[in-house]
Every structure is written in structure tokens, then in C-alpha cells.
Amino acid sequence: MTDTIFALATAAGRSAVAVVRVSGPRSSEIAAALCGRLPSPRLASVRTLKHNGVALDAALLLRFEKPASYTGEDSVEFHVHGGRAVVEALLAALSELGARLAEAGEFTRRAFENGKLDLAQAEGVADLIDAETEAQRRQALGQVGGALSQRYDRWRDLLVQALAMLEAAVDFPDEDLPEEVAERARPGLRQLSAELNAALADVSRGRRVRDGFRIALIGAPNAGKSTLLNGLAERDAAIVTDVAGTTRDVIEVPLVLGGYKVLVADTAGIRETADVIEAEGVRRAKAWAEAADLRLWVVDGFHVKQADARPESIRVGDWLILNKTDIADADALAHVAERWAREGLTVLHAAGTSSEGPEALRAALASHVADALSGAEFPAATRLRHAERLSEARSYLERALSDVGLEVELAAEDVRLAARALERISGRIDPEDVLGRVFSTFCIGK
Ligand SMILES: Nc1nc2c(ncn2[C@@H]2O[C@H](COP(=O)(O)OP(=O)(O)OP(=O)(O)O)[C@@H](O)[C@H]2O)c(=O)[nH]1
Ligand SMILES: [Mg+2]
């Protein structure tokens, strides 16, 4: 028989109210042992909880009968006073009555196993609990509501239709030319291929909303990168001195800009150096910058020659920050600005040490991030797992398209594999280790 599990569902520590959930076949029996007469399902009722003849607390009870519950099992919620001793006494009593402390994500895993939600929706639940920004909240809520699953289901349906046509071509012994019959599947496959390509081109958007848009500050030593970081963060996150080569490690600061999570990284000034520690810092700076979504190339406006050559990782669309405008020569800056704007960089003037400099930079970044991450459609991937399955499906689909006219059976097999790759997003056919990995990232009680 399935275990009956319990856990504190609210945050640990002192609080006004704490919620303890119990789920599994013995939920009602265990609740009755604590509260005497059971309340009707879905009706909040006050009961005194007693264990071994000792009163534990006066609690509000909510009882759910399967399958109409979060987990799809019989379950009970105890809303008790949120004192540590109250919660501990209740948890100890539940354990003595034969329930077991739930593992991380076990309630949601049971909901998944009972068909209450699919794996993508379950991931949405975890993301909603972790959401710290407005954009993360919106995206996670959409995912819980099935926005991601619906996209994949539609694509899968298109594949199933194409597969039916291909199978018909294979199965018709009277047809002389099964390839011609199979050709009927081609338009649908082509349309799907176009949609998958568009989705893959946009594949990082959902992950960036969830994990943060990555911005790297790079440039020569002493250009003022750490000063700008501190200005953006509104605290002394990085050490600033007039010694060139002050920053060695990559310093990542999470920010919320325009409702989006952003990770800004200050990095070591890039130069040739014999110092092994600094050299390692330069290597890390370059690596972080390469993988970032946007690079801010910071140039000391007083030493405007720094802008003669751009660092290797700077590419079209990145930003040039002409810093130290308070001590720089305006004409020289204008000249440099014009040149790099022509070469495809967005150029901003700033004085990191002023209050307006970082403020204007923050506003410009906020609008850039919002443009990059907002979209008309729900993103096709919010985790790496989704992106990997999507690109796997695309490869099978491409192979199927090239085989349709030649080897119908091979094409059919590839369409089947593409559908399976998409089905794995919803977790229906995923192996145990994938499920274990997803649910282990949940908190206990969810
Ligand atoms: N006048 C002026 N000085 C600035 C400005 N921004 C930074 N500085 C000064 O420039 C020096 C270097 O600043 P940092 O922020 O440490 O420069 P960095 O680019 O992080 O340098 P490294 O970590 O060595 O690569 C410090 O003395 C800052 O006070 C500015 O806008 N105007
Ligand atoms: Mg620095």
C-alpha cells in the first residue's frame, strides 16, 4: 500500500499560522485519531487536536477525498498556530500514528503520478515557489496552467497525423508508388519544421526569464567596471581602487530590472599579465563574457585610446560604455562614439561615480531586457531539459523530411521518434532518473 506522508507546507520557524499536510490512504484515519469527529470534505472546521490524551492545539482542518485533491489521494491539511513547539508536537504525533515524513517534492510527484499535472506543469509549480520577479511569476503560472504542455501537445498531434499518412502509404499493398502517397504527409511536416525552428531560435528566452538575463562588464583594468557594478547594485559589491588589476574573480550580482531577473557580472580587467592569479581572472572574465546575453564594454573616457580596439568577445549588438565623462574630453568621446555606433554597438556615456550614470544605465538595461525577454507567445522552453528534447525532435523531423520521398518506413520511424522526444517534455515516458532529478529540486512539503 502507498505510504501516507506528511510535511510542514509553510516555511519553518515562528509564524502566525503553519500548515501541515498529510496525503495518502490513511490520511482520514490519522486525522480522526487526532481530532475525533472528521469534518466533511472541503469544509474548513475547527477541531482540538489531541494525542495520547494531551491537547496539542486548536486547529482548522481541511479534508479532501480522492481524487479531488492536489495529490489525487485522500489528504488533510492542519492549519495550526505557527509556533515551533506546536508544529513539532503535531509532526511527532503524525509520525507516531504511522505516517512518514515526505521527501522533497513528494506531494507533487504523487499529483504527477495520479495524472493531476504533467511534468512540465510540475516544474511550473517548483518555479512558482522559487519566483522572485514578476516575470518569473507570470511564466511559472502559465506553465502550471499548461501553456508549455499545450504547445508540445499540438506539435505532437501534427506528428501523429503525419505518421498516420506515412503508415497508410506503407500499409497499402495495392499502391504502386507508396512514396507518392507518403508525399501527402510532407506539408504538415514542413509546417511543423518551420515552427520548431522558430521555437528553437527563441529557445533561451524562457530560460533567461527563469534563471536570469546575463550581463557582463568587461574592459581594460581601471576602466571603472567595479564602480559601475556598485552603482547598479546600490551597494559595495566589488572592491574599487585606483590600482589597475583590482578585480580578480568574477563577481555576480543578481538584480531585478523592470520585473526581470538579471545577473550582472563584474570581471577582471583584460590585459596581458605575468601574474598567475590575475591571468586566471582574465581567463574567467572572457569565459563569462562569451556566455553572457549582453556584454558592456567599459572604456575609461580619459584614456580614450582604450577604445581603439574592441575586446575579442565584444560583438555586434553589445554596448560600449564611455565612462568617466566627468574628466574626459567630450570631442574625443563623440568621435569614438560615432565610430563604434557605425560598427553596430550601442553607445552610452556615463560617469560611474555620479548618481545619474548608473541610474541611466539601469533604465536602459531594464528596457533592453524587457524587449529581449517579452514575447507574444509562451516560450517553447523554460529549462535546458525542454530545449534538448526540442532540438532532438527537430533533428528527427529533418531526417524524416529527407526520407519521405525515398524510404517511407524510415521516415515513419523518425516521425515516431520526434513525437517521443516531444512527449518526454510532459514526462509521460521519461525514465525514473529524469523524474527523480526534477522532483528532488522541490522543497519538502510541496
Ligand atoms: N573621475 C572618475 N573616476 C572614476 C569613474 N569611475 C571609476 N573611477 C575611478 O577609476 C578607478 C578604477 O575604478 P574601478 O571601478 O576599480 O575600475 P575597474 O575597471 O573595476 O578596474 P579593475 O578591477 O582593475 O579592472 C577608481 O579610482 C575609481 O574611483 C568616473 O566615472 N569618473
Ligand atoms: Mg574592478
Side-chain angles (χ1 to χ4, degrees), residues 358-375:
E359 217 167 279
L361 180 58
R362 192 179 307 124
L365 287 173
S367 96
H368 177 83
V369 172
D371 282 351
L373 297 188
S374 61

Side-chain angles (χ1 to χ4, degrees), residues 303-350:
H303 298 285
V304 78
K305 278 193 95 41
Q306 270 180 17
D308 282 355
R310 59 175 174 79
E312 247 171 71
S313 51
I314 291 292
R315 52 196 87 155
V316 169
D318 284 341
W319 292 14
L320 168 62
I321 314 292
L322 294 172
N323 194 32
K324 307 197 187 179
T325 48
D326 53 322
I327 53 169
D329 175 63
D331 288 343
L333 287 190
H335 184 71
V336 170
E338 198 193 322
R339 170 187 165 196
W340 286 109
R342 236 184 298 119
E343 297 203 21
L345 301 189
T346 298
V347 183
L348 266 80
H349 297 257

Side-chain angles (χ1 to χ4, degrees), residues 250-281:
V250 175
I251 299 169
E252 290 179 21
V253 173
L255 296 178
V256 179
L257 293 180
Y260 290 91
K261 180 174 174 183
V262 171
L263 266 184
V264 183
D266 180 23
T267 64
I270 293 168
R271 66 171 170 188
E272 291 295 325
T273 170
D275 182 322
V276 285
I277 302 170
E278 192 181 352
E280 174 60 18

Side-chain angles (χ1 to χ4, degrees), residues 148-161 191-200 377-381 390 393 418-419 422 425:
L148 189 72
S149 313
Q150 281 157 17
R151 278 193 92 171
Y152 282 87
D153 286 350
R154 202 179 72 74
W155 286 333
R156 194 186 148 274
D157 288 347
L158 288 173
L159 285 169
V160 171
Q161 284 166 22
Q191 183 203 332
L192 181 59
S193 162
E195 285 189 35
L196 292 192
N197 279 328
L200 276 161
E377 264 199 288
F378 195 83
L390 192 61
L422 295 184
I425 307 278

Side-chain angles (χ1 to χ4, degrees), residues 89-105:
L90 176 55
L91 296 184
L94 289 168
S95 172
E96 278 173 36
L97 290 167
R100 150 173 88 68
L101 185 63
E103 287 164 20

Side-chain angles (χ1 to χ4, degrees), residues 100-425:
R100 150 173 88 68
L101 185 63
E103 287 164 20
E106 200 170 0
F107 289 91
T108 308
R109 177 153 192 167
R110 288 184 175 196
F112 166 75
E113 275 159 8
N114 290 320
K116 287 278 168 178
L117 27 76
D118 68 21
L119 192 59
Q121 288 174 306
E123 287 169 332
V125 171
D127 289 352
L128 197 52
I129 290 170
D130 288 335
E132 288 176 341
T133 68
E134 182 56 18
Q136 288 172 323
R137 182 189 68 71
R138 274 197 312 265
Q139 177 167 296
L141 193 61
Q143 195 166 327
V144 173
L148 189 72
S149 313
Q150 281 157 17
R151 278 193 92 171
Y152 282 87
D153 286 350
R154 202 179 72 74
W155 286 333
R156 194 186 148 274
D157 288 347
L158 288 173
L159 285 169
V160 171
Q161 284 166 22
L163 187 60
M165 292 181 213
L166 294 175
E167 281 173 347
V170 175
D171 292 344
F172 268 123
D174 304 344
E175 297 282 346
D176 295 335
L177 292 168
E179 285 79 11
E180 271 177 25
V181 179
E183 280 303 323
R184 289 178 209 152
R186 197 185 285 276
L189 293 177
R190 279 234 181 88
Q191 183 203 332
L192 181 59
S193 162
E195 285 189 35
L196 292 192
N197 279 328
L200 276 161
D202 179 42
V203 80
S204 69
R205 179 164 59 96
R207 281 165 60 208
R208 287 303 170 236
V209 168
R210 180 173 180 266
D211 303 331
F213 187 88
R214 299 163 78 84
I215 300 175
L217 287 157
I218 58 169
N222 254 352
K225 302 177 293 299
S226 301
T227 307
L228 278 169
L229 177 83
N230 292 347
L232 287 172
E234 293 178 299
R235 65 185 173 88
D236 283 339
I239 299 172
V240 168
T241 70
D242 56 7
V243 178
T246 299
T247 306
R248 303 290 180 88
D249 276 323
V250 175
I251 299 169
E252 290 179 21
V253 173
L255 296 178
V256 179
L257 293 180
Y260 290 91
K261 180 174 174 183
V262 171
L263 266 184
V264 183
D266 180 23
T267 64
I270 293 168
R271 66 171 170 188
E272 291 295 325
T273 170
D275 182 322
V276 285
I277 302 170
E278 192 181 352
E280 174 60 18
V282 171
R283 194 193 62 76
R284 291 180 187 202
K286 288 180 178 167
W288 212 100
E290 282 296 333
D293 300 299
L294 177 71
R295 285 145 293 274
L296 309 184
W297 171 24
V298 183
V299 161
D300 181 339
F302 188 70
H303 298 285
V304 78
K305 278 193 95 41
Q306 270 180 17
D308 282 355
R310 59 175 174 79
E312 247 171 71
S313 51
I314 291 292
R315 52 196 87 155
V316 169
D318 284 341
W319 292 14
L320 168 62
I321 314 292
L322 294 172
N323 194 32
K324 307 197 187 179
T325 48
D326 53 322
I327 53 169
D329 175 63
D331 288 343
L333 287 190
H335 184 71
V336 170
E338 198 193 322
R339 170 187 165 196
W340 286 109
R342 236 184 298 119
E343 297 203 21
L345 301 189
T346 298
V347 183
L348 266 80
H349 297 257
T353 42
S354 69
S355 62
E356 310 85 61
E359 217 167 279
L361 180 58
R362 192 179 307 124
L365 287 173
S367 96
H368 177 83
V369 172
D371 282 351
L373 297 188
S374 61
E377 264 199 288
F378 195 83
T382 61
R383 298 181 180 220
L384 186 60
R385 187 179 81 79
H386 312 152
E388 285 172 351
R389 296 289 81 77
L390 192 61
S391 96
E392 192 181 315
R394 178 177 60 179
S395 328
Y396 287 129
L397 184 59
E398 272 165 12
R399 222 165 59 184
L401 270 166
S402 66
D403 277 345
V404 170
L406 308 165
E407 288 276 4
V408 183
E409 279 181 47
L410 287 183
E413 180 56 17
D414 280 328
V415 169
R416 228 172 267 129
L417 289 169
R420 201 159 300 159
L422 295 184
E423 279 165 8
R424 287 180 64 191
I425 307 278

